[in-house]
Amino acid sequence: MISRRTLLKTAASGLPLGVSLQADPSRSAPAGQPLIWDVHFHLSGVSGETPEERMRQLINYADRLGVQRFILSLGVTLGVQDPSPTQLREANDQVLKALRPWPERAFGFVYLNPNHLDFSLNEFDRCLRDGPMVGVKLWVAKRCNARELDPIVERATKMQAPILQHTWLKVSGNDPGESSPFDFVELAKRHPHAALICGHTGGDWERGIRAVRSTRSISVEVAGSDPTSGFVEMAVRELGAERVIYGSDAGGRSFASQLAKVMGAEIPESARRLILGENLRRLLTPMLKAKGHKV
């Protein structure tokens, strides 16, 4: 069993936690260390008066743990389950402000709400087609098996932009607009060429993995739950390592607890490298190249 000290040294390239790695995105990874790209970041959970101040904290944390690149979405404040067009635009503008000083370090997923479909399609064009963002984030406004999502998924698929969909399986029952992995499978069957990421693997990851197992267009991400042993091992065994993606859900979760799921997993080193960064880089490569980024 890997120790906490070993985990942190591995994730932080052997440096004490107080020393910044200043990860260089123009390199694949620090020498001898795996590529670490994180698909699930938020500006909430860290302090700061502005998006730029919050972003500086996230960058510092990423430096300490050796995360070379990450994806940001949703804005400063979480909690509005069915955001209005004004709230969507505000959240996306906050992400754009946070990203501006770090064009090669972090990227954005545009936050959309299928309950405001026309606005969301326009926001997709503003932030992704004509802006710097590289994917789509869908949260809990409407279950993702609804037909209202189809135009969003079609537009993203045409541009080869990934979609990260929050999913959960609550014992008490999901919130009215909250998706489950089973809903996500319904969506995927209507859009077999979409690049789809099952956020949190449904929380109840054993059921979530089984739910998406036969739908090969769906990848799962490991963010946001406790660092329970067996999660990553089961995902690799049932889905294959090429369908498993690392994410932290920072700042709501710590990097160390989320990296521990992958760093401490009893899986081949080749699988670990795919999960920590190579899979996400593969999914993002078409959009990053289209935007002129180094890959």
Side-chain angles (χ1 to χ4, degrees):
M1 178 63 69
I2 191 168
S3 70
R4 182 174 180 272
R5 182 180 299 275
T6 301
L7 165 65
L8 293 177
K9 283 186 176 181
T10 301
S13 191
L15 297 175
L17 278 178
V19 179
S20 172
L21 286 172
Q22 294 297 327
D24 179 1
S26 68
R27 297 164 57 191
S28 295
Q33 298 302 316
L35 185 78
I36 304 178
W37 286 22
D38 191 318
V39 76
H40 203 140
F41 261 55
H42 301 301
L43 291 168
S44 59
V46 293
S47 61
E49 295 296 323
T50 67
E52 293 89 342
E53 289 178 5
R54 290 170 181 255
M55 185 66 165
R56 178 67 260 180
Q57 284 201 51
L58 291 173
I59 290 288
N60 286 341
Y61 296 148
D63 281 349
R64 289 172 67 185
L65 273 298
V67 177
Q68 288 95 38
R69 283 175 160 174
F70 57 84
I71 302 296
L72 195 64
S73 65
L74 291 187
V76 169
T77 303
L78 300 182
V80 180
Q81 295 191 352
D82 187 10
S84 67
T86 299
Q87 290 167 324
L88 285 172
R89 181 176 285 267
E90 181 181 17
N92 288 322
D93 282 346
Q94 290 167 347
V95 169
L96 289 169
K97 288 180 181 178
L99 294 173
R100 195 166 292 125
W102 308 95
E104 290 297 333
R105 185 66 189 277
F107 309 110
F109 277 11
V110 58
Y111 180 29
L112 303 178
N113 180 351
N115 289 325
H116 304 288
L117 182 56
D118 289 341
F119 177 85
S120 288
L121 293 173
N122 289 334
E123 194 70 349
F124 178 100
D125 291 346
R126 180 179 79 95
C127 296
L128 195 154
R129 188 194 67 185
D130 304 326
M133 294 191 180
V134 297
V136 173
K137 174 60 185 276
L138 298 169
W139 196 35
V140 295
K142 182 177 284 292
R143 288 173 58 189
C144 65
N145 59 353
R147 292 285 177 177
E148 287 87 343
L149 275 79
D150 289 345
I152 294 172
V153 179
E154 288 165 5
R155 194 163 295 194
T157 303
K158 183 177 180 180
M159 293 197 66
Q160 296 182 276
I163 298 172
L164 174 59
Q165 170 68 63
H166 168 97
T167 66
W168 214 260
L169 289 162
K170 292 178 177 173
V171 174
S172 58
N174 283 10
D175 293 335
E178 189 171 26
S179 301
S180 73
F182 298 99
D183 298 326
F184 206 37
V185 167
E186 290 185 45
L187 179 70
K189 288 180 178 178
R190 298 202 304 269
H191 302 278
H193 301 296
L196 302 174
I197 304 171
C198 184
H200 311 295
T201 317
D204 183 349
W205 46 268
E206 290 176 294
R207 291 179 64 202
I209 289 168
R210 293 187 181 105
V212 306
R213 180 168 48 194
S214 63
T215 308
R216 296 197 58 80
S217 60
I218 294 178
S219 298
V220 300
E221 59 121 44
V222 301
S225 55
D226 293 331
T228 311
S229 64
F231 181 173
V232 172
E233 289 90 337
M234 179 178 178
V236 170
R237 183 176 67 249
E238 298 293 332
L239 307 178
E242 69 280 358
R243 290 175 61 191
V244 186
I245 294 174
Y246 165 71
S248 63
D249 208 6
R253 289 281 182 166
S254 70
F255 288 114
S257 70
Q258 302 306 299
L259 280 167
K261 298 175 186 176
V262 185
M263 292 294 192
E266 295 182 0
I267 56 175
E269 189 60 31
S270 58
R272 199 180 330 275
R273 290 179 178 272
L274 286 172
I275 295 165
L276 286 172
E278 292 174 12
N279 288 333
L280 181 57
R281 179 170 62 179
R282 184 188 72 248
L283 284 181
L284 289 175
T285 289
M287 283 300 306
L288 293 179
K289 286 186 174 180
K291 302 288 182 181
H293 292 292
K294 301 174 183 177
V295 179

